[in-house]
Amino acid sequence: MQCHHRHQHSLLSFIRPLSASSLLEMVGLSIGEKHFIQGGIAQDLRSDGRKRLTIRPIYVETGVISQANGSARVRMGATDVIACVKAELGRPNALQPDKGKVVVNVDCSPTAAPMFEGRGGEELSAELSVALQRCLLGGKSGSGAGIDLSSLVVVEGKICWDLYIDGLVVSSDGNLLDALGAAIKAALSNTGIPKVNVAAGASGDEQPEVDVSDEEFLQFDTSRVPVIVTLTKVGRHYIVDATSEEESQMCLAVSISINRQGHICGLTKRGGAGLDPSIILDMISVAKTVSEQLINTLDSHIAAAEAGEEES
């Protein structure tokens, strides 16, 4: 997989939410299997033996792409994703001279699932890219951002780091957004930003000359980078880390990105059903509890992967 610097236009206007019937068709469940999944969730015993709020075992590998500034591979059950980070020097946006820029782009490999072939894969890639951008970078103003954009500035108004974060879905068995969020957090933990020395003497509108080190790197600070917890509603209950079969039975899903400090960095919703504000508050409370477990698990896996990478 190559890290690339493609700037995608938002394709949200073209995205149609998948109806339950089309998802069911894709997953190919019989009526009996459908009732089995729904009944198990109602009784807090899912098809794979998990409780409603239990995530699948996570596997993390870092430094998987040598030409990137940082990269990671994350597996959650049969869902397998890769994220890589490429840092390039650019110019800050005139409206935000004190901030760097982050661009998130996701590709769904056509071999990952039959539904990813052709237009289906393009639509899902665009939907995931936009959702990740929202979950990681908060509002358009940058408020609530899980990635500190001000840390990417080299010279205010003149030079900044642009981070291009690429995600690839290798295989899919549900919960892609959360898996990609975990892979991005792991890839950012693995990211080294080259040290930049700025030559003195540039004045006014002149672009200062810079010397980018190829030996000294600054570790990217991921202490506030969130994880994403998606609560998927099936029947009357919410589950986390849904499989593809479980997602085919959902009426809606709410994805909440929360960092170690308990701050909510972003929130997105899929599915047509409306939500009462009190229910959203309850979902946020559940997501916070699950996020603590996920962050602790992920951080220990990242530390182990980094230690293993250093030894090899």
Side-chain angles (χ1 to χ4, degrees):
M1 171 190 163
Q2 293 285 321
C3 265
H4 38 76
H5 311 149
R6 196 165 68 234
H7 293 268
Q8 281 202 332
H9 295 292
S10 171
L11 298 179
L12 263 187
S13 55
F14 299 110
I15 292 170
R16 296 181 304 281
L18 292 166
S19 67
S21 60
S22 65
L23 274 168
L24 187 59
E25 215 172 88
M26 287 170 180
V27 176
L29 293 177
S30 68
I31 299 298
E33 288 169 320
K34 176 178 154 184
H35 288 314
F36 178 72
I37 289 167
Q38 292 176 348
I41 289 170
Q43 292 170 26
D44 202 14
L45 182 62
R46 292 156 73 175
S47 307
D48 55 10
R50 287 183 291 153
K51 291 184 173 293
R52 286 193 287 261
L53 300 182
T54 305
I55 58 175
R56 291 171 287 187
I58 296 178
Y59 167 84
V60 179
E61 191 182 350
T62 56
V64 293
I65 298 168
S66 57
Q67 60 268 50
N69 291 84
S71 59
R73 184 171 196 160
V74 166
R75 294 189 193 113
M76 297 174 79
T79 291
D80 185 357
V81 298
I82 295 172
C84 80
V85 182
K86 191 75 179 155
E88 287 195 349
L89 284 176
R91 190 169 187 135
N93 187 315
L95 297 173
Q96 294 181 314
D98 59 341
K99 289 183 170 69
K101 300 189 289 290
V102 174
V103 178
V104 183
N105 181 68
V106 177
D107 272 329
C108 296
S109 168
T111 58
M115 63 187 260
F116 293 169
E117 290 181 14
R119 188 160 172 79
E122 289 172 15
E123 290 186 353
L124 185 61
S125 295
E127 192 174 1
L128 288 167
S129 301
V130 171
L132 283 166
Q133 195 97 6
R134 283 183 189 158
C135 286
L136 293 169
L137 300 175
K140 284 185 178 176
S141 66
S143 60
I147 296 175
D148 181 12
L149 298 179
S150 61
S151 69
L152 299 173
V153 168
V154 179
V155 179
E156 187 168 327
K158 292 185 177 180
I159 303 171
C160 69
W161 284 107
D162 294 338
L163 294 188
Y164 295 93
I165 302 175
D166 282 336
L168 175 69
V169 177
V170 180
S171 69
S172 170
D173 185 23
N175 204 30
L176 288 176
L177 190 63
D178 298 18
L180 284 162
I184 288 171
K185 186 175 173 70
L188 287 169
S189 297
N190 180 246
T191 296
I193 304 286
K195 190 171 181 185
V196 179
N197 293 311
V198 182
S203 59
D205 292 332
E206 285 178 23
Q207 277 294 95
E209 287 188 19
V210 293
D211 176 40
V212 181
S213 172
D214 52 10
E215 292 178 2
E216 283 186 87
F217 293 88
L218 304 172
Q219 195 66 29
F220 190 82
D221 179 15
T222 59
S223 59
R224 292 186 176 274
V225 175
V227 293
I228 301 170
V229 176
T230 298
L231 292 171
T232 304
K233 191 177 184 196
V234 178
R236 296 176 169 221
H237 301 281
Y238 299 104
I239 56 172
V240 298
D241 191 18
T243 63
S244 293
E245 289 188 346
E246 290 170 335
E247 285 180 345
S248 76
Q249 304 305 307
M250 78 173 197
C251 53
L252 63 86
V254 173
S255 300
I256 304 162
S257 58
I258 305 170
N259 65 17
R260 182 171 278 288
Q261 292 74 24
H263 297 149
I264 295 167
C265 301
L267 189 148
T268 63
K269 174 180 163 291
R270 281 185 299 142
L275 271 181
D276 187 88
S278 62
I279 293 174
I280 292 179
L281 289 174
D282 184 51
M283 292 173 87
I284 288 171
S285 173
V286 171
K288 279 191 173 181
T289 304
V290 174
S291 73
E292 287 173 18
Q293 302 164 6
L294 179 56
I295 286 169
N296 289 335
T297 303
L298 193 57
D299 281 356
S300 64
H301 280 295
I302 290 169
E306 294 281 297
E309 196 188 337
E310 282 170 18
E311 285 170 18
S312 60

